[in-house]
């Protein structure tokens, strides 16, 4: 986990994410999913790394999901940049997917009316909405990304790279017992 990342709300966040993405893509020789929590971050990072990465970039929105996945599976060293719909339920077996990079932990937006209503309901009951709702939802999304990493290494000797560009919160998830530290110790061996 990069320690010098600015807060996700900072204007410098996207530039830092782009900087953090390039090296793992070089190390993994492409073969990666770069997952984002927003289209804006995805498109901005895609623009920033376009001339710096020597591998084919596939960007969500340029083709239907099924076509992007087929192209990714059939294109050696491809890099797929995508958002929430690619976080779970996608199967890419073998060495084609060796790296999963996440721009930040996928917390549900409190601006979303459904999320806002759930948060308010929990608060009205005296419950901790962050710990009892937002963290568990983020963990489920993160587990989807970890499943990519696990599935992609079934026939490999080297574990995949997993890079989460996030300033804080990671330690909180470990402290809450939501994510075992051992999983990440092995996954972050860059």
């Amino acid at each position: 986990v990069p320690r010098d990342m600015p807060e996700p709300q900072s204007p410098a966040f996207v530039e830092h994410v782009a900087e953090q993405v390039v090296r793992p893509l070089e190390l993994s020789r492409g073969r990666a999913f770069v997952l984002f929590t927003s289209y804006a971050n995805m498109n901005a990072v895609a623009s920033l790394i376009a001339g710096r990465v020597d591998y084919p970039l596939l960007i969500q929105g340029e083709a239907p999901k099924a076509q992007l996945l087929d192209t990714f599976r059939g294109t050696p060293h491809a890099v797929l940049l995508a958002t929430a719909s690619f976080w779970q339920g996608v199967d890419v077996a073998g060495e084609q997917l060796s790296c999963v990079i996440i721009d930040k932990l996928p917390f549900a937006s409190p601006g979303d009316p459904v999320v806002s209503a759930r948060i308010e309901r929990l608060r009205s009951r005296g419950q901790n909405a962050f710990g009892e709702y937002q963290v568990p939802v983020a963990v489920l999304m993160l587990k989807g990304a970890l499943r990519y990493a696990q599935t992609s290494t079934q026939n490999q000797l080297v574990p995949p790279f997993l890079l989460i560009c996030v300033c804080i919160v990671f330690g909180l998830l470990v402290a809450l017992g939501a994510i075992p530290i051992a999983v990440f110790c092995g996954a972050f061996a860059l």
Side-chain angles (χ1 to χ4, degrees):
V1 177
R3 299 187 196 288
D4 61 346
M5 290 296 293
E7 294 288 331
Q9 300 81 7
S10 167
F13 181 75
V14 171
E15 290 176 11
H16 278 78
V17 169
E19 288 300 316
Q20 295 295 330
V21 163
V22 173
R23 180 72 178 137
L25 292 179
E26 290 170 354
L27 292 171
S28 67
R29 294 175 293 138
R31 305 178 306 152
F33 277 6
V34 184
L35 303 175
F36 296 87
T37 54
S38 75
Y39 281 96
N41 284 2
M42 177 190 72
N43 289 323
V45 169
S47 294
L48 290 168
I49 69 169
R52 301 178 58 197
V53 176
D54 293 330
Y55 308 107
L57 293 180
L58 307 172
I59 303 166
Q60 183 178 357
E62 292 183 348
K65 181 178 179 178
Q67 183 180 345
L68 281 173
L69 286 171
D70 286 344
T71 303
F72 180 84
R73 288 181 189 114
T75 305
H77 307 286
V79 176
L80 175 65
L81 287 80
T83 62
S85 64
F86 284 83
W87 280 68
Q88 295 179 335
V90 175
D91 181 36
V92 178
E95 293 184 17
Q96 186 58 25
L97 179 58
S98 295
C99 179
V100 178
I101 303 171
I102 304 168
D103 74 333
K104 62 182 180 177
L105 291 175
F107 287 106
S109 170
D112 179 295
V114 174
V115 173
S116 179
R118 288 181 178 156
I119 289 171
E120 284 307 312
R121 184 172 180 210
L122 288 168
R123 286 183 181 156
S124 71
R125 294 178 174 173
Q127 295 174 288
N128 177 341
F130 182 73
E132 295 179 39
Y133 172 65
Q134 290 179 294
V135 169
V137 169
V139 168
L140 288 174
M141 293 295 285
L142 188 56
K143 283 183 179 179
L146 287 173
R147 200 168 301 118
Y148 286 136
Q150 201 173 37
T151 301
S152 72
T153 59
Q154 288 175 351
N155 297 317
Q156 296 180 36
L157 298 175
V158 180
F161 302 109
L162 178 61
L163 174 66
I164 300 175
C165 301
V166 66
C167 313
I168 48 178
V169 183
F170 176 70
L172 173 64
L173 292 174
V174 172
L176 290 173
I179 301 171
I181 190 67
V183 169
F184 291 100
C185 290
F188 289 127
L190 289 175

